[in-house]
Amino acid sequence: MSGGTMDRRTVARSAAVLAAALLSGGAGGTARARTREAAGARDTAPAGTRDAARAAGADLVLTLPAPTGRHRVGVTTLYLVDRDRRDPWAPEVPVREVMATVLYPARTVRGCPRAPQMTRKAAKSFAGFVPIHQHPELPEAGVDWAATLTHGHTGAPAQPVRRPVVLYSPGGGDARTLGTGIAEELASHGYVVVTVDHPGDASEVEFPNTTAYRDDPLRTTVFRGDPRTDPGLFRTMIETRVADVRFVLDRLAVLAAGGNPDAAGRPLPEHLGRALDLRRVGVYGHSAGGTTAAQALYEDRRIAAAIDLEGYLDHPARTPGGAGELFPVARDGVDRPLLLVRTDGFRHGQALEPSWSAVAARSGGRVRRCRVDRAGHAVFTDYAAFAPQLQAAGLMSSEDRAGLVGTLEPAVSVPLVRDRVRGFFTRHLGRPGHLV
């Protein structure tokens, strides 16, 4: 998976535009036209300069890479409420609310519109917060974040075929929407994928309703800065995320048994419950989501395999220069397959080594490791496709793009990461599907 033998020359703007075009799905024409409009604004403008974004004309519409499998993708959302847990981030909330998106092979998509990546309300919140507080590499203007369409069709009937189920936990502070590309790819190849938001942690989560204890459908993050600078906060974050993933598995069992786990009672796509094979469950996650995936594998025997995409397996040190406590997964090892994937561009990459080496040494050969070269920490998210489009449109400098996702072109990095994730789950969960 190393990219070390690939050409390291600086990629010209025209190549970035071409890569964006190659990776675009059905909505690519509009995005490419707007990219061409804006491309003359600047090529390598200094980081932090936003005036060009406003001068570039119409807001850019970013496109997601098209999935490569033979199945059309259906999509729906689940509103799940755990009445046995209080929310750890909001004392006034007496339950734990979780939002999840389910992507699955569709029987037909006729009459079912393509879903947006973000709702209009969520996109407005994202645009007003993430470029300022989480990812200053992103432009504060010049992008219509609500206009990006997924390749999933809302409410499409599912194929009545039992499929392996894979759950996704996003990075710390990230919403589940930023993992859409890999999720769609897996679903197009025959998996049921459930992307999980962790409210209070994610930058924004939109619920279908208000409640007596929450007067806004939209909930934003409590995080300001890196959670690893606060050991207590980081511990609560991971414990909450693992509990969220295990709770979602509980509710999927209700769905597979013919029930409707949606707490608002919203109707579900036809045959969705029949698409779940909960004997074959995997979990993958990015950054804090990778930590979550590995620890969930350790704690929950229902999970057969997990992928940690550059997530720590130890707690932050409580004293400067000290060693952090290992999570149980690293302290004790695992007895089921675990894949650890990192990049050469993650600035904290060396800090992963103690805990990753520990889990590998204690797992009897069940842990595999690989690396993506010429890549940055966010290459495992939809930013891998978005950052080059932003650079091509003059809305992101080459330095910021490299810092966020690396210099590897998306025509290489996107299929590379997708193939690694899909290949691992195919090997350990079996080939998707048999008729029921």
Side-chain angles (χ1 to χ4, degrees):
M1 202 168 173
S2 170
T5 60
M6 298 177 185
D7 186 1
R8 295 177 180 272
R9 69 183 181 277
T10 302
V11 179
R13 180 181 65 215
S14 59
V17 176
L18 176 61
L22 287 171
L23 287 164
S24 296
T30 302
R32 288 192 291 274
R34 292 182 179 178
T35 295
R36 286 194 296 271
E37 272 185 8
R42 59 173 178 158
D43 190 9
T44 55
T49 299
R50 310 302 182 191
D51 291 344
R54 297 181 179 88
D59 286 347
L60 178 69
V61 177
L62 298 169
T63 56
L64 287 161
T68 65
R70 65 186 180 90
H71 300 288
R72 303 296 292 273
V73 177
V75 64
T76 192
T77 61
L78 294 175
Y79 168 50
L80 307 174
V81 178
D82 186 351
R83 303 191 183 280
D84 294 328
R85 285 188 295 153
R86 296 189 68 88
D87 191 279
W89 309 117
E92 70 277 11
V93 179
V95 297
R96 178 61 177 166
E97 300 174 289
V98 176
M99 288 299 297
T101 295
V102 185
L103 302 96
Y104 52 90
R107 180 173 56 79
T108 178
V109 298
R110 183 174 300 172
C112 301
R114 286 171 61 183
Q117 183 183 28
M118 301 183 198
T119 65
R120 182 66 60 180
K121 188 178 182 74
K124 181 179 180 181
S125 178
F126 175 94
F129 179 82
V130 174
I132 300 168
H133 299 287
Q134 288 184 340
H135 288 295
E137 309 94 333
L138 299 176
E140 294 175 26
V143 181
D144 186 350
W145 294 101
T148 298
L149 291 178
T150 72
H151 301 89
H153 295 261
T154 302
Q159 296 176 17
V161 176
R162 295 292 181 189
R163 307 281 185 181
V165 177
V166 180
L167 279 67
Y168 170 70
S169 178
D174 283 347
R176 71 191 193 277
T177 51
L178 291 172
T180 297
I182 293 178
E184 290 186 334
E185 173 73 358
L186 289 169
S188 78
H189 283 273
Y191 294 85
V192 174
V193 185
V194 183
T195 62
V196 181
D197 258 336
H198 305 286
D201 173 335
S203 54
E204 71 285 330
V205 179
E206 187 171 359
F207 298 100
N209 52 25
T210 59
T211 68
Y213 42 80
R214 179 178 44 74
D215 59 5
D216 191 332
L218 190 80
R219 184 170 171 187
T220 56
T221 183
V222 302
F223 294 167
R224 296 295 184 272
D226 183 357
R228 278 191 69 86
T229 61
D230 183 332
L233 182 74
F234 187 77
R235 183 180 296 270
T236 299
M237 176 175 71
I238 301 302
E239 289 176 352
T240 301
R241 285 164 158 263
V242 172
D244 287 346
V245 166
R246 300 187 69 182
F247 168 66
V248 170
L249 270 177
D250 293 340
R251 302 313 291 163
L252 292 178
V254 173
L255 178 59
N260 183 350
D262 190 89
R266 296 176 300 168
L268 300 177
E270 184 182 15
H271 300 314
L272 184 61
R274 296 180 66 192
L276 306 178
D277 185 353
L278 295 179
R279 299 165 300 176
R280 296 186 287 167
V281 174
V283 181
Y284 69 107
H286 171 238
S287 197
T291 310
T292 302
Q295 185 59 29
L297 174 72
Y298 175 86
E299 293 187 23
D300 199 317
R301 301 297 305 181
R302 293 175 294 181
I303 301 170
I307 303 175
D308 174 357
L309 302 170
E310 214 156 51
Y312 297 95
L313 297 180
D314 59 1
H315 293 277
R318 292 192 173 274
T319 57
E325 175 192 357
L326 294 175
F327 278 97
V329 63
R331 182 193 66 211
D332 299 335
V334 292
D335 61 0
R336 283 150 290 148
L338 172 63
L339 177 64
L340 307 175
V341 189
R342 60 162 295 190
T343 66
D344 65 340
F346 182 35
R347 60 193 179 97
H348 302 300
Q350 286 304 116
L352 297 172
E353 287 305 313
S355 63
W356 281 26
S357 296
V359 70
R362 297 177 173 111
S363 299
R366 296 177 182 87
V367 173
R368 292 288 183 268
R369 297 180 57 167
C370 61
R371 193 178 76 181
V372 187
D373 286 347
R374 295 175 57 206
H377 188 55
V379 77
F380 303 112
T381 72
D382 293 333
Y383 292 130
F386 289 166
Q389 294 175 58
L390 292 169
Q391 183 191 0
L395 297 173
M396 178 180 283
S397 71
S398 58
E399 293 81 9
D400 281 345
R401 176 259 180 96
L404 185 63
V405 300
T407 60
L408 195 61
E409 279 303 296
V412 177
S413 67
V414 169
L416 193 63
V417 173
R418 285 176 165 189
D419 290 350
R420 176 59 64 178
V421 171
R422 181 164 56 88
F424 177 82
F425 284 132
T426 298
R427 186 158 57 250
H428 297 295
L429 301 181
R431 294 198 173 275
H434 62 272
L435 291 174
V436 293

